[in-house]
Amino acid sequence: NGRGAPRPAAGRRAASPRSAASAGPDLASPVQGTVVRVTVRAGDVVARGDLVCVVEAMKMENEVLAHRDGTVAAVAVAPGAAVGLGAVLARIE
């Protein structure tokens, strides 16, 4: 029909394998790069698959999604921060 797949609701994304790989409350960066956007603050309630931040690596933006439902206990990064692979971006309890 040419209309394509339905789009997720605003602020929601389908969970990616990278975001789902995090264990425990800490959300880890799936790539080494630079944080270009953070969309949550401590105290925000998130659902698995919600956008938490965007990390740029090799001129590609990687959306980092919540790996679990919960409340953001802490955000460990800010825009402009350099992060390594596996660096803790946020804690979701």
Side-chain angles (χ1 to χ4, degrees), residues 52-86:
V52 173
C53 67
V54 177
V55 178
E56 183 180 277
M58 296 174 44
K59 300 194 184 222
M60 291 188 63
E61 290 189 347
N62 299 276
E63 293 182 335
V64 183
L65 310 177
H67 62 299
R68 63 193 294 175
D69 296 343
T71 301
V72 178
V75 177
V77 295
V83 295
L85 176 65

PDB file of all heavy atoms in Angstrom, residues 52-86:
ATOM      1  N   VAL A  52      17.177   7.727  25.751  1.00  0.00           N
ATOM      2  CA  VAL A  52      17.866   8.292  26.915  1.00  0.00           C
ATOM      3  C   VAL A  52      18.883   9.322  26.461  1.00  0.00           C
ATOM      4  O   VAL A  52      18.953  10.419  27.004  1.00  0.00           O
ATOM      5  CB  VAL A  52      18.546   7.180  27.748  1.00  0.00           C
ATOM      6  CG1 VAL A  52      19.410   7.768  28.859  1.00  0.00           C
ATOM      7  CG2 VAL A  52      17.492   6.236  28.323  1.00  0.00           C
ATOM      8  N   CYS A  53      19.688   8.983  25.458  1.00  0.00           N
ATOM      9  CA  CYS A  53      20.659   9.940  24.932  1.00  0.00           C
ATOM     10  C   CYS A  53      21.092   9.514  23.540  1.00  0.00           C
ATOM     11  O   CYS A  53      20.741   8.432  23.059  1.00  0.00           O
ATOM     12  CB  CYS A  53      21.866  10.094  25.864  1.00  0.00           C
ATOM     13  SG  CYS A  53      22.905   8.649  26.015  1.00  0.00           S
ATOM     14  N   VAL A  54      21.853  10.398  22.906  1.00  0.00           N
ATOM     15  CA  VAL A  54      22.390  10.138  21.575  1.00  0.00           C
ATOM     16  C   VAL A  54      23.902  10.289  21.662  1.00  0.00           C
ATOM     17  O   VAL A  54      24.401  11.296  22.168  1.00  0.00           O
ATOM     18  CB  VAL A  54      21.802  11.113  20.522  1.00  0.00           C
ATOM     19  CG1 VAL A  54      22.415  10.872  19.154  1.00  0.00           C
ATOM     20  CG2 VAL A  54      20.282  10.990  20.474  1.00  0.00           C
ATOM     21  N   VAL A  55      24.617   9.261  21.181  1.00  0.00           N
ATOM     22  CA  VAL A  55      26.074   9.272  21.174  1.00  0.00           C
ATOM     23  C   VAL A  55      26.530   9.235  19.717  1.00  0.00           C
ATOM     24  O   VAL A  55      26.122   8.358  18.946  1.00  0.00           O
ATOM     25  CB  VAL A  55      26.660   8.063  21.942  1.00  0.00           C
ATOM     26  CG1 VAL A  55      28.186   8.075  21.876  1.00  0.00           C
ATOM     27  CG2 VAL A  55      26.189   8.062  23.384  1.00  0.00           C
ATOM     28  N   GLU A  56      27.365  10.210  19.342  1.00  0.00           N
ATOM     29  CA  GLU A  56      27.890  10.262  17.978  1.00  0.00           C
ATOM     30  C   GLU A  56      29.217   9.525  17.920  1.00  0.00           C
ATOM     31  O   GLU A  56      30.102   9.756  18.742  1.00  0.00           O
ATOM     32  CB  GLU A  56      28.086  11.709  17.540  1.00  0.00           C
ATOM     33  CG  GLU A  56      28.569  11.838  16.106  1.00  0.00           C
ATOM     34  CD  GLU A  56      28.751  13.285  15.718  1.00  0.00           C
ATOM     35  OE1 GLU A  56      27.758  13.923  15.350  1.00  0.00           O
ATOM     36  OE2 GLU A  56      29.901  13.764  15.807  1.00  0.00           O
ATOM     37  N   ALA A  57      29.328   8.634  16.951  1.00  0.00           N
ATOM     38  CA  ALA A  57      30.567   7.891  16.734  1.00  0.00           C
ATOM     39  C   ALA A  57      30.814   7.841  15.232  1.00  0.00           C
ATOM     40  O   ALA A  57      29.946   7.406  14.475  1.00  0.00           O
ATOM     41  CB  ALA A  57      30.456   6.483  17.295  1.00  0.00           C
ATOM     42  N   MET A  58      31.953   8.312  14.819  1.00  0.00           N
ATOM     43  CA  MET A  58      32.325   8.324  13.401  1.00  0.00           C
ATOM     44  C   MET A  58      31.247   8.990  12.540  1.00  0.00           C
ATOM     45  O   MET A  58      30.835   8.471  11.508  1.00  0.00           O
ATOM     46  CB  MET A  58      32.627   6.904  12.927  1.00  0.00           C
ATOM     47  CG  MET A  58      33.825   6.317  13.636  1.00  0.00           C
ATOM     48  SD  MET A  58      34.214   4.590  13.304  1.00  0.00           S
ATOM     49  CE  MET A  58      34.032   4.442  11.560  1.00  0.00           C
ATOM     50  N   LYS A  59      30.768  10.136  13.006  1.00  0.00           N
ATOM     51  CA  LYS A  59      29.772  10.975  12.320  1.00  0.00           C
ATOM     52  C   LYS A  59      28.412  10.301  12.165  1.00  0.00           C
ATOM     53  O   LYS A  59      27.587  10.736  11.375  1.00  0.00           O
ATOM     54  CB  LYS A  59      30.303  11.442  10.976  1.00  0.00           C
ATOM     55  CG  LYS A  59      31.568  12.263  11.130  1.00  0.00           C
ATOM     56  CD  LYS A  59      31.909  12.995   9.880  1.00  0.00           C
ATOM     57  CE  LYS A  59      33.229  13.706  10.119  1.00  0.00           C
ATOM     58  NZ  LYS A  59      33.281  15.009   9.624  1.00  0.00           N
ATOM     59  N   MET A  60      28.164   9.249  12.951  1.00  0.00           N
ATOM     60  CA  MET A  60      26.852   8.601  12.955  1.00  0.00           C
ATOM     61  C   MET A  60      26.248   8.748  14.343  1.00  0.00           C
ATOM     62  O   MET A  60      26.932   8.528  15.343  1.00  0.00           O
ATOM     63  CB  MET A  60      26.965   7.117  12.601  1.00  0.00           C
ATOM     64  CG  MET A  60      27.361   6.883  11.163  1.00  0.00           C
ATOM     65  SD  MET A  60      27.279   5.159  10.707  1.00  0.00           S
ATOM     66  CE  MET A  60      25.543   4.840  10.912  1.00  0.00           C
ATOM     67  N   GLU A  61      24.989   9.137  14.401  1.00  0.00           N
ATOM     68  CA  GLU A  61      24.307   9.278  15.680  1.00  0.00           C
ATOM     69  C   GLU A  61      23.701   7.944  16.093  1.00  0.00           C
ATOM     70  O   GLU A  61      22.997   7.311  15.313  1.00  0.00           O
ATOM     71  CB  GLU A  61      23.240  10.358  15.604  1.00  0.00           C
ATOM     72  CG  GLU A  61      23.832  11.742  15.480  1.00  0.00           C
ATOM     73  CD  GLU A  61      22.804  12.845  15.631  1.00  0.00           C
ATOM     74  OE1 GLU A  61      21.586  12.556  15.585  1.00  0.00           O
ATOM     75  OE2 GLU A  61      23.221  14.002  15.802  1.00  0.00           O
ATOM     76  N   ASN A  62      24.008   7.509  17.304  1.00  0.00           N
ATOM     77  CA  ASN A  62      23.502   6.257  17.857  1.00  0.00           C
ATOM     78  C   ASN A  62      22.550   6.575  18.996  1.00  0.00           C
ATOM     79  O   ASN A  62      22.961   7.154  20.008  1.00  0.00           O
ATOM     80  CB  ASN A  62      24.664   5.412  18.395  1.00  0.00           C
ATOM     81  CG  ASN A  62      25.650   5.042  17.317  1.00  0.00           C
ATOM     82  OD1 ASN A  62      25.452   4.073  16.612  1.00  0.00           O
ATOM     83  ND2 ASN A  62      26.712   5.830  17.163  1.00  0.00           N
ATOM     84  N   GLU A  63      21.282   6.211  18.836  1.00  0.00           N
ATOM     85  CA  GLU A  63      20.302   6.428  19.891  1.00  0.00           C
ATOM     86  C   GLU A  63      20.508   5.359  20.955  1.00  0.00           C
ATOM     87  O   GLU A  63      20.567   4.170  20.647  1.00  0.00           O
ATOM     88  CB  GLU A  63      18.885   6.347  19.337  1.00  0.00           C
ATOM     89  CG  GLU A  63      18.563   7.478  18.393  1.00  0.00           C
ATOM     90  CD  GLU A  63      17.136   7.416  17.899  1.00  0.00           C
ATOM     91  OE1 GLU A  63      16.553   6.322  17.873  1.00  0.00           O
ATOM     92  OE2 GLU A  63      16.610   8.476  17.538  1.00  0.00           O
ATOM     93  N   VAL A  64      20.650   5.786  22.198  1.00  0.00           N
ATOM     94  CA  VAL A  64      20.799   4.852  23.313  1.00  0.00           C
ATOM     95  C   VAL A  64      19.466   4.822  24.042  1.00  0.00           C
ATOM     96  O   VAL A  64      18.970   5.858  24.500  1.00  0.00           O
ATOM     97  CB  VAL A  64      21.952   5.261  24.254  1.00  0.00           C
ATOM     98  CG1 VAL A  64      22.114   4.223  25.353  1.00  0.00           C
ATOM     99  CG2 VAL A  64      23.250   5.412  23.468  1.00  0.00           C
ATOM    100  N   LEU A  65      18.890   3.640  24.127  1.00  0.00           N
ATOM    101  CA  LEU A  65      17.544   3.464  24.639  1.00  0.00           C
ATOM    102  C   LEU A  65      17.551   2.855  26.029  1.00  0.00           C
ATOM    103  O   LEU A  65      18.462   2.086  26.377  1.00  0.00           O
ATOM    104  CB  LEU A  65      16.770   2.549  23.699  1.00  0.00           C
ATOM    105  CG  LEU A  65      16.832   2.912  22.212  1.00  0.00           C
ATOM    106  CD1 LEU A  65      16.090   1.870  21.393  1.00  0.00           C
ATOM    107  CD2 LEU A  65      16.308   4.303  21.959  1.00  0.00           C
ATOM    108  N   ALA A  66      16.537   3.175  26.798  1.00  0.00           N
ATOM    109  CA  ALA A  66      16.392   2.577  28.128  1.00  0.00           C
ATOM    110  C   ALA A  66      16.317   1.066  27.986  1.00  0.00           C
ATOM    111  O   ALA A  66      15.586   0.551  27.140  1.00  0.00           O
ATOM    112  CB  ALA A  66      15.142   3.124  28.808  1.00  0.00           C
ATOM    113  N   HIS A  67      17.064   0.368  28.799  1.00  0.00           N
ATOM    114  CA  HIS A  67      17.126  -1.088  28.741  1.00  0.00           C
ATOM    115  C   HIS A  67      16.117  -1.753  29.664  1.00  0.00           C
ATOM    116  O   HIS A  67      15.990  -2.965  29.688  1.00  0.00           O
ATOM    117  CB  HIS A  67      18.542  -1.561  29.081  1.00  0.00           C
ATOM    118  CG  HIS A  67      18.995  -1.198  30.458  1.00  0.00           C
ATOM    119  ND1 HIS A  67      19.097   0.115  30.893  1.00  0.00           N
ATOM    120  CD2 HIS A  67      19.359  -1.964  31.505  1.00  0.00           C
ATOM    121  CE1 HIS A  67      19.512   0.116  32.150  1.00  0.00           C
ATOM    122  NE2 HIS A  67      19.682  -1.123  32.548  1.00  0.00           N
ATOM    123  N   ARG A  68      15.387  -0.920  30.440  1.00  0.00           N
ATOM    124  CA  ARG A  68      14.402  -1.442  31.381  1.00  0.00           C
ATOM    125  C   ARG A  68      13.430  -0.332  31.753  1.00  0.00           C
ATOM    126  O   ARG A  68      13.700   0.842  31.557  1.00  0.00           O
ATOM    127  CB  ARG A  68      15.100  -1.976  32.630  1.00  0.00           C
ATOM    128  CG  ARG A  68      15.837  -0.864  33.381  1.00  0.00           C
ATOM    129  CD  ARG A  68      16.804  -1.318  34.440  1.00  0.00           C
ATOM    130  NE  ARG A  68      16.112  -1.975  35.533  1.00  0.00           N
ATOM    131  CZ  ARG A  68      16.734  -2.546  36.552  1.00  0.00           C
ATOM    132  NH1 ARG A  68      18.044  -2.516  36.612  1.00  0.00           N
ATOM    133  NH2 ARG A  68      16.058  -3.128  37.504  1.00  0.00           N
ATOM    134  N   ASP A  69      12.295  -0.707  32.279  1.00  0.00           N
ATOM    135  CA  ASP A  69      11.350   0.253  32.847  1.00  0.00           C
ATOM    136  C   ASP A  69      11.886   0.706  34.200  1.00  0.00           C
ATOM    137  O   ASP A  69      12.514  -0.085  34.905  1.00  0.00           O
ATOM    138  CB  ASP A  69       9.980  -0.402  33.088  1.00  0.00           C
ATOM    139  CG  ASP A  69       9.294  -0.871  31.819  1.00  0.00           C
ATOM    140  OD1 ASP A  69       9.689  -0.433  30.723  1.00  0.00           O
ATOM    141  OD2 ASP A  69       8.366  -1.690  31.933  1.00  0.00           O
ATOM    142  N   GLY A  70      11.647   1.940  34.562  1.00  0.00           N
ATOM    143  CA  GLY A  70      12.049   2.398  35.888  1.00  0.00           C
ATOM    144  C   GLY A  70      12.160   3.901  35.978  1.00  0.00           C
ATOM    145  O   GLY A  70      11.689   4.639  35.118  1.00  0.00           O
ATOM    146  N   THR A  71      12.819   4.336  37.046  1.00  0.00           N
ATOM    147  CA  THR A  71      13.049   5.751  37.300  1.00  0.00           C
ATOM    148  C   THR A  71      14.531   6.040  37.124  1.00  0.00           C
ATOM    149  O   THR A  71      15.373   5.282  37.624  1.00  0.00           O
ATOM    150  CB  THR A  71      12.612   6.121  38.735  1.00  0.00           C
ATOM    151  OG1 THR A  71      11.227   5.813  38.877  1.00  0.00           O
ATOM    152  CG2 THR A  71      12.834   7.597  39.019  1.00  0.00           C
ATOM    153  N   VAL A  72      14.837   7.124  36.432  1.00  0.00           N
ATOM    154  CA  VAL A  72      16.232   7.521  36.239  1.00  0.00           C
ATOM    155  C   VAL A  72      16.760   8.013  37.584  1.00  0.00           C
ATOM    156  O   VAL A  72      16.306   9.031  38.099  1.00  0.00           O
ATOM    157  CB  VAL A  72      16.360   8.614  35.159  1.00  0.00           C
ATOM    158  CG1 VAL A  72      17.814   9.059  35.004  1.00  0.00           C
ATOM    159  CG2 VAL A  72      15.794   8.123  33.831  1.00  0.00           C
ATOM    160  N   ALA A  73      17.697   7.258  38.154  1.00  0.00           N
ATOM    161  CA  ALA A  73      18.273   7.619  39.445  1.00  0.00           C
ATOM    162  C   ALA A  73      19.397   8.627  39.271  1.00  0.00           C
ATOM    163  O   ALA A  73      19.613   9.480  40.130  1.00  0.00           O
ATOM    164  CB  ALA A  73      18.797   6.378  40.158  1.00  0.00           C
ATOM    165  N   ALA A  74      20.130   8.528  38.157  1.00  0.00           N
ATOM    166  CA  ALA A  74      21.251   9.437  37.901  1.00  0.00           C
ATOM    167  C   ALA A  74      21.566   9.447  36.414  1.00  0.00           C
ATOM    168  O   ALA A  74      21.397   8.444  35.736  1.00  0.00           O
ATOM    169  CB  ALA A  74      22.481   8.991  38.685  1.00  0.00           C
ATOM    170  N   VAL A  75      22.015  10.596  35.950  1.00  0.00           N
ATOM    171  CA  VAL A  75      22.527  10.744  34.588  1.00  0.00           C
ATOM    172  C   VAL A  75      23.999  11.074  34.740  1.00  0.00           C
ATOM    173  O   VAL A  75      24.358  12.050  35.407  1.00  0.00           O
ATOM    174  CB  VAL A  75      21.782  11.852  33.812  1.00  0.00           C
ATOM    175  CG1 VAL A  75      22.380  12.030  32.429  1.00  0.00           C
ATOM    176  CG2 VAL A  75      20.292  11.530  33.728  1.00  0.00           C
ATOM    177  N   ALA A  76      24.852  10.255  34.143  1.00  0.00           N
ATOM    178  CA  ALA A  76      26.295  10.381  34.354  1.00  0.00           C
ATOM    179  C   ALA A  76      27.006  11.174  33.266  1.00  0.00           C
ATOM    180  O   ALA A  76      28.222  11.342  33.339  1.00  0.00           O
ATOM    181  CB  ALA A  76      26.912   8.988  34.459  1.00  0.00           C
ATOM    182  N   VAL A  77      26.266  11.654  32.269  1.00  0.00           N
ATOM    183  CA  VAL A  77      26.891  12.359  31.148  1.00  0.00           C
ATOM    184  C   VAL A  77      26.107  13.619  30.802  1.00  0.00           C
ATOM    185  O   VAL A  77      24.964  13.778  31.210  1.00  0.00           O
ATOM    186  CB  VAL A  77      26.991  11.460  29.895  1.00  0.00           C
ATOM    187  CG1 VAL A  77      27.929  10.292  30.142  1.00  0.00           C
ATOM    188  CG2 VAL A  77      25.619  10.972  29.462  1.00  0.00           C
ATOM    189  N   ALA A  78      26.751  14.477  30.033  1.00  0.00           N
ATOM    190  CA  ALA A  78      26.121  15.693  29.524  1.00  0.00           C
ATOM    191  C   ALA A  78      26.556  15.860  28.077  1.00  0.00           C
ATOM    192  O   ALA A  78      27.566  15.277  27.659  1.00  0.00           O
ATOM    193  CB  ALA A  78      26.560  16.898  30.354  1.00  0.00           C
ATOM    194  N   PRO A  79      25.831  16.652  27.295  1.00  0.00           N
ATOM    195  CA  PRO A  79      26.252  16.892  25.923  1.00  0.00           C
ATOM    196  C   PRO A  79      27.701  17.388  25.873  1.00  0.00           C
ATOM    197  O   PRO A  79      28.123  18.210  26.685  1.00  0.00           O
ATOM    198  CB  PRO A  79      25.272  17.962  25.430  1.00  0.00           C
ATOM    199  CG  PRO A  79      24.034  17.697  26.233  1.00  0.00           C
ATOM    200  CD  PRO A  79      24.558  17.312  27.600  1.00  0.00           C
ATOM    201  N   GLY A  80      28.440  16.827  24.930  1.00  0.00           N
ATOM    202  CA  GLY A  80      29.844  17.178  24.762  1.00  0.00           C
ATOM    203  C   GLY A  80      30.798  16.219  25.442  1.00  0.00           C
ATOM    204  O   GLY A  80      31.999  16.239  25.183  1.00  0.00           O
ATOM    205  N   ALA A  81      30.279  15.372  26.332  1.00  0.00           N
ATOM    206  CA  ALA A  81      31.134  14.420  27.052  1.00  0.00           C
ATOM    207  C   ALA A  81      31.622  13.323  26.119  1.00  0.00           C
ATOM    208  O   ALA A  81      30.860  12.799  25.304  1.00  0.00           O
ATOM    209  CB  ALA A  81      30.371  13.801  28.219  1.00  0.00           C
ATOM    210  N   ALA A  82      32.885  12.974  26.245  1.00  0.00           N
ATOM    211  CA  ALA A  82      33.448  11.834  25.525  1.00  0.00           C
ATOM    212  C   ALA A  82      33.208  10.593  26.366  1.00  0.00           C
ATOM    213  O   ALA A  82      33.440  10.608  27.581  1.00  0.00           O
ATOM    214  CB  ALA A  82      34.930  12.039  25.283  1.00  0.00           C
ATOM    215  N   VAL A  83      32.719   9.529  25.747  1.00  0.00           N
ATOM    216  CA  VAL A  83      32.459   8.285  26.465  1.00  0.00           C
ATOM    217  C   VAL A  83      33.140   7.124  25.749  1.00  0.00           C
ATOM    218  O   VAL A  83      33.288   7.129  24.533  1.00  0.00           O
ATOM    219  CB  VAL A  83      30.952   7.996  26.605  1.00  0.00           C
ATOM    220  CG1 VAL A  83      30.275   9.049  27.471  1.00  0.00           C
ATOM    221  CG2 VAL A  83      30.262   7.901  25.264  1.00  0.00           C
ATOM    222  N   GLY A  84      33.543   6.154  26.529  1.00  0.00           N
ATOM    223  CA  GLY A  84      34.128   4.940  25.980  1.00  0.00           C
ATOM    224  C   GLY A  84      33.086   3.850  25.870  1.00  0.00           C
ATOM    225  O   GLY A  84      32.012   3.932  26.462  1.00  0.00           O
ATOM    226  N   LEU A  85      33.414   2.818  25.152  1.00  0.00           N
ATOM    227  CA  LEU A  85      32.543   1.650  25.037  1.00  0.00           C
ATOM    228  C   LEU A  85      32.304   1.094  26.431  1.00  0.00           C
ATOM    229  O   LEU A  85      33.244   0.858  27.180  1.00  0.00           O
ATOM    230  CB  LEU A  85      33.220   0.603  24.149  1.00  0.00           C
ATOM    231  CG  LEU A  85      32.492  -0.724  23.994  1.00  0.00           C
ATOM    232  CD1 LEU A  85      31.176  -0.518  23.267  1.00  0.00           C
ATOM    233  CD2 LEU A  85      33.357  -1.709  23.249  1.00  0.00           C
ATOM    234  N   GLY A  86      31.052   0.940  26.809  1.00  0.00           N
ATOM    235  CA  GLY A  86      30.707   0.396  28.112  1.00  0.00           C
ATOM    236  C   GLY A  86      30.625   1.406  29.234  1.00  0.00           C
ATOM    237  O   GLY A  86      30.301   1.051  30.367  1.00  0.00           O
TER     238      GLY A  86
END
